Amino acid sequence: MDEADRAFAGALEACADLDTLLRLKGAYVGREGSHAARMMDLLKAAPKEQKRELGAAVNAFKQRWEEGLKARQADLEAAKKAVGASSWDATLPPPMPARGALHPLNRLMDRLVDVFRPLGFHVEEGPEVETEEHNFDGLNIPADHPARGSADTFYLAAHPGRLLRTHTSPVQVQTLKRYGKDGARLLNEKGGIRFLAPGRVYRKDEIDPTHSPMFHQVEGMLVGHGIGMQHLKGTLEYALRALFGPHTEIRLRPSYFPFVEPGCEVDVSCPLCAAKGCRVCKGSGWVEILGAGLIHPNVLEFAGIDSKEWSGWAFGMGVERMAMMLSQTPDLRLFFENDQRFLEAMGGLD
Ligand code: PHE
């Protein structure tokens, strides 16, 4: 290949867009000052007998360059069209910003609140940093109770007497105190108390598939006249059927919590195997779901409420435990690791 052809081929190869190609065209085959034009000038000065041969050679150069330029132009135009089609389509919707969503545990707590709301229950909130008075004393928990020890409870070193609440039951004490103030004026005015208290609680537990030092509970409480176990059982049956399905059975087993008397643990018939026995209910057909009981008179009296006139019930349930069961999640840590794929797959808790 001739020197001039090689230089042209290199320049053509390097030509990445149509503007550059146009400049190259000018430089090689343009009317004035181009390589082809200069060759024609030289041709004019050539001896007569060589003109025909040299003229043919110049024309051959020009023709090859023109063909090369044309082919390259077609390629570049095709490429431009293809890029345009893939990156710009005015009819496509704009990229949507990712939408946030409530955490599955919050959605489950909201659902519990929704189940109780038609029964006249409102939501009470208490602080996560509590006093020993609210977390223990007001709940009839004796000074030597093991739960008070620093092996189980996070105490705030810089604030004596302050701790991270170990359950949502201190909201009972806070609320009862508010209603019991001024000789139970508010209690009399409202004719009773009904509330749910969802929230975070803390215990010194090692992290494993079923334990976390921070977890969630929902507390429920009702105070009124002549309230007994029958009201507790009826309300729980209604609520747990709303949550787990209309065929759910419940059973109460005697248990002990210092702030209730009598106290019980409540099981539901396993919602996953219809009580036939499976891994979740460990073959028994029943799953323990919450602790409950009739409010101990000492709890009412501590808050300034006459326990001869008023009585009530309370329950506390673990939210993670219920979420794990409903979603068949084997490891509670998944709820706190915030892997978006897991959180999105948890839509079933609504
Ligand atoms: N607070 C108890 C717990 O954390 C649960 C409970 C609440 C039991 C109310 C009875 C009444 O285990």
Side-chain angles (χ1 to χ4, degrees), residues 33-279:
S34 70
H35 294 301
R38 289 215 314 273
M39 282 177 165
M40 292 303 261
D41 287 343
L42 287 171
L43 188 63
K44 278 182 203 140
K48 217 172 184 166
E49 58 283 14
Q50 288 180 15
K51 271 196 179 156
R52 177 187 282 269
E53 202 185 332
L54 284 172
V58 171
N59 275 334
F61 267 116
K62 213 177 157 193
Q63 206 180 329
R64 283 201 298 279
W65 293 343
E66 261 160 0
E67 269 164 21
L69 287 160
K70 215 167 142 194
R72 187 78 183 150
Q73 185 172 350
D75 286 347
L76 288 173
E77 268 164 6
K80 193 178 171 187
K81 225 175 182 175
V83 168
S86 68
S87 68
W88 180 250
D89 179 348
T91 65
L92 286 174
M96 287 299 181
R99 262 209 311 157
L102 288 178
H103 190 277
L105 294 175
N106 287 331
R107 293 211 302 271
L108 182 53
M109 290 191 284
D110 284 354
R111 212 177 125 195
L112 269 156
V113 170
D114 286 345
V115 165
F116 278 88
R117 210 186 286 281
L119 304 183
F121 285 69
H122 68 273
V123 172
E124 289 283 345
E125 278 181 279
E128 288 169 32
V129 173
E130 264 294 6
T131 58
E132 282 187 79
E133 185 198 326
H134 292 149
N135 198 80
F136 296 127
D137 300 336
L139 290 165
N140 196 37
I141 297 175
D144 58 356
H145 194 282
R148 287 188 181 237
S150 58
D152 293 320
T153 302
F154 290 105
Y155 285 90
L156 272 66
H159 301 277
R162 304 260 162 181
L163 47 82
L164 298 181
R165 66 180 181 189
T166 59
H167 48 180
T168 43
S169 300
V171 184
Q172 290 188 26
V173 183
Q174 299 245 17
T175 310
L176 288 175
K177 268 169 68 176
R178 203 170 75 239
Y179 277 76
K181 232 170 55 181
D182 313 328
R185 185 187 51 79
L186 190 59
L187 190 54
N188 282 309
E189 222 168 75
K190 302 254 183 198
I193 307 173
R194 297 170 191 206
F195 73 84
L196 239 50
R200 290 195 191 97
V201 301
Y202 302 84
R203 285 179 202 176
K204 279 193 183 171
D205 281 326
E206 292 295 330
I207 299 175
D208 70 25
T210 55
H211 292 88
S212 159
M214 185 282 291
F215 56 103
H216 297 77
Q217 287 188 334
V218 174
E219 195 84 6
M221 183 176 226
L222 180 144
V223 177
H225 293 291
I227 301 299
M229 283 304 270
Q230 69 278 32
H231 301 110
L232 172 65
K233 188 173 184 221
T235 309
L236 287 177
E237 205 167 69
Y238 155 81
L240 295 171
R241 280 183 181 161
L243 276 174
F244 293 110
H247 303 298
T248 306
E249 293 299 326
I250 73 167
R251 86 180 173 187
L252 277 58
R253 284 178 291 107
S255 185
Y256 176 74
F257 302 95
F259 34 96
V260 286
E261 181 58 36
C264 61
E265 267 160 349
V266 178
D267 301 337
V268 290
S269 53
C270 182
L272 297 177
C273 64
K276 286 190 191 68
C278 69
R279 205 170 48 83

Side-chain angles (χ1 to χ4, degrees), residues 270-335:
C270 182
L272 297 177
C273 64
K276 286 190 191 68
C278 69
R279 205 170 48 83
V280 170
C281 60
K282 299 191 187 79
S284 74
W286 295 94
V287 212
E288 186 198 321
I289 205 82
L290 53 87
L294 295 187
I295 304 163
H296 196 291
N298 288 355
V299 173
L300 293 169
E301 298 290 343
F302 184 93
I305 293 171
D306 184 355
S307 63
K308 284 188 204 62
E309 189 184 343
W310 299 95
S311 58
W313 54 249
F315 69 79
M317 63 173 96
V319 179
E320 279 79 359
R321 199 190 158 85
M322 193 179 287
M324 285 170 79
M325 198 171 74
L326 283 169
S327 62
Q328 297 201 54
T329 301
D331 192 326
L332 142 164
R333 290 172 288 196
L334 284 162
F335 286 107

